[in-house]
Amino acid sequence: PVSWAREMCIRDSKNCDGEVNYDEFILSLRGELSQARLDVIHRAYNKLDNTGDGRVTLEDIKNVYDASKHRDVISGKRSAEQILIEYLNNFDLNNKDGLVTREEFEDYYRNISASIDSDEYFIDMVERAWKLGSYA
């Protein structure tokens, strides 16, 4: 019904443009992140924010991601700097200022989390990606 769509738009939509965005819809169905998921997201963020200042910069990314091994850098299509900026932009969701806050990082993983039923699978995926826990 229209009232349900309007309610969802008011409550859950970021832009309320009259369309139901799939990601926003899934997020509204899933609800909040479990504490276990938040914990692993925070551990990953802490690894990325190696200065501990609450902002991930291009320099922080350089310390954990070796762009020189990227196939486009090896082939000469793009520079390592371009790859690093693209990588940072994956997480810089809200204001595109070249800095990733904990909130933006959580938002990135909140979107991924919405389509994953199992806490165990989600935690394993994040730990593998960031080389945390038994993958360190």
Side-chain angles (χ1 to χ4, degrees):
V2 174
S3 62
W4 175 81
R6 185 171 290 122
E7 166 77 19
M8 187 177 146
C9 180
I10 292 167
R11 187 186 70 225
D12 298 318
S13 179
K14 289 186 179 185
N15 60 10
C16 202
D17 60 2
E19 295 182 12
V20 177
N21 175 292
Y22 176 78
D23 291 332
E24 290 173 352
F25 176 72
I26 294 298
L27 283 170
S28 72
L29 292 177
R30 290 278 183 205
E32 292 300 314
L33 290 166
S34 70
Q35 190 60 50
R37 291 184 191 213
L38 273 174
D39 289 345
V40 76
I41 292 167
H42 291 167
R43 286 191 292 135
Y45 185 82
N46 291 342
K47 182 173 184 174
L48 189 56
D49 179 22
N50 54 52
T51 60
D53 64 359
R55 303 175 320 156
V56 172
T57 65
L58 199 55
E59 287 303 313
D60 289 318
I61 297 286
K62 286 178 183 178
N63 289 325
V64 296
Y65 184 62
D66 182 4
S68 70
K69 307 279 192 258
H70 192 281
R71 67 175 177 223
D72 284 355
V73 174
I74 292 169
S75 71
K77 285 170 117 175
R78 297 191 288 169
S79 70
E81 187 85 2
Q82 289 172 311
I83 298 298
L84 290 167
I85 290 168
E86 181 180 303
Y87 189 71
L88 179 78
N89 286 338
N90 286 318
F91 307 108
D92 188 12
L93 301 174
N94 298 341
N95 56 14
K96 299 293 184 192
D97 60 357
L99 302 171
V100 179
T101 64
R102 183 177 297 271
E103 179 185 354
E104 287 174 311
F105 197 73
E106 284 178 16
D107 285 346
Y108 173 83
Y109 275 106
R110 186 173 281 112
N111 290 335
I112 292 171
S113 174
S115 62
I116 299 173
D117 290 329
S118 163
D119 277 357
E120 292 77 19
Y121 180 82
F122 179 83
I123 291 165
D124 186 65
M125 178 198 67
V126 174
E127 285 183 340
R128 281 179 191 261
W130 292 100
K131 295 183 176 139
L132 300 170
S134 64
Y135 301 105

